[in-house]
Amino acid sequence: MQFRRSDFPEGFLFGAATAAYQIEGHKFGGAGSTHWDTFAATPGNVIRAEDGALACDHYHRFGEDLDLLQEAGMDAYRFSTSWARVMPDGKTPNPKGLDFYDMLTDAILERGLKPFQTLYHWELPSALADQGGWTNRDTVHRFGEFVDVITNKIGDRMDSIATVNEPWCVAFLSHFLGHHAPGLRDIRATARAMHHINLAHGEAMTRLRDKGMKNCGIVLNFDHATPLDDTQESAAAANLQDAISNRWFVEAITKGTYPTEVLAGFAPHMPDGWQDDMEQISQPIDFLGVNYYTRHRITSDPDAPWPGVRDVPGDLPLTQMDWEIYPQGLYDFLTRLSREYVGDLPLYVTENGMAWDDKVENGAVFDPERTKFVSDHILAAKRAIADGANVKGFFYWSLLDNYEWAFGYEKRFGMIHVDFDTLKRTPKASYYALKAAIARE
Ligand code: IFM
């Protein structure tokens, strides 16, 4: 890695991130069915129809996994608490699920790691999916109840709480593009989910503040929309793409408004009275989490209905996901966010990482591509700090190879390799490189 811990301000946090359904093993501990279980069980949605029933069996092996985090010299661990584990039917608390997160919290703290919790990383209980999931406003209230229940159990020990992970994925990727559960392709469902997930963030913030919780915020994913060429059409298309992917969320949360160019498509489908929710959505937060992976080159698609944009494959090196590697995009977002949206509010890079077709050879995994990727992105964050962005930490996605949603177990994002037959963990070379870079001198 081309940086040292000492290149960063005192107190800057290095960590790794995971999410419940992707690692825990959802068949254990009385967790309820989620919309991902049914999505995965429907042919054609997920590679090999794989699901999170066993995943990395973190449910039983969390001690070993947290030891690896500690041994790497990490400061913090970002994890999520599954709604369907805590409330299997979406409303009744499951004591075993609550005990699991209680135990996990203590285990994180015992290792000197700061717990960064995410409340919703996509484990929607099937019972609520049956009622329309995020297209139904009532799901927002049910989510508020979950926030109360889990926070009463572990909130006293959290360093930081994020309400929702990547609302664009929850709403657009899942209801417009159909790539994630529930796999819809419907503009009306999308408009509603796009609003309700923001309102769920607001509802969670209200509940957390009622309990006096500090360090609360949200994690948004930012996708760099680069115009394909210097035509006006590409500029307008990239602007619209940016508004849908990025501004819909960050503008609502920090300013209480939606971009007009997106409302141009969604307005006829928005739930009645949505304007009255904007105040709750835009209540003050304590930090903004930034997930950043790639860019897309955008141009217009005049023959397609709204939004009439398409992305064109680029010429930069690609990861195993076929995502272009573009560290400059992280710099651009961090500086743009502080300039245009959050000012001096703390920013965390809550996810950044790459998938690669890693193999264990002679007991080791050699992944120089990932070491370079991480180094280049951390250096981009460092430049953003020098140019005024208040970036407080960086979390690698992901601690472990895990369930990569519609890609099943095929795409390996981990710094630690997982053999999905034996569940053996093997730290990759990038893990040791990061460990050396963040060692205290
Ligand atoms: O695995 C996902 C994670 O759940 C959310 N952010 C992006 C990651 C890589 O696709």
Side-chain angles (χ1 to χ4, degrees), residues 137 140 194-204 277 280-281:
R137 188 183 178 94
V140 173
M194 291 283 275
H195 180 64
H196 291 148
I197 196 65
N198 282 343
L199 185 58
H201 157 75
E203 176 70 16
D277 298 327
Q280 188 180 19
I281 290 172

Side-chain angles (χ1 to χ4, degrees), residues 18-19 22 78 121-122 165-166 169 180 221 291 293 321 323 351 353 355 397-398 402-405 407 413:
T18 63
Q22 292 179 271
R78 176 170 178 249
H121 200 127
W122 313 349
N165 183 71
E166 299 185 350
C169 294
H180 275 195
N221 53 316
N291 290 0
Y293 288 91
M321 298 291 283
W323 293 348
E351 284 183 29
W397 180 272
S398 178
N402 60 42
Y403 181 65
E404 180 51 27
W405 307 112
F407 295 93
F413 274 92

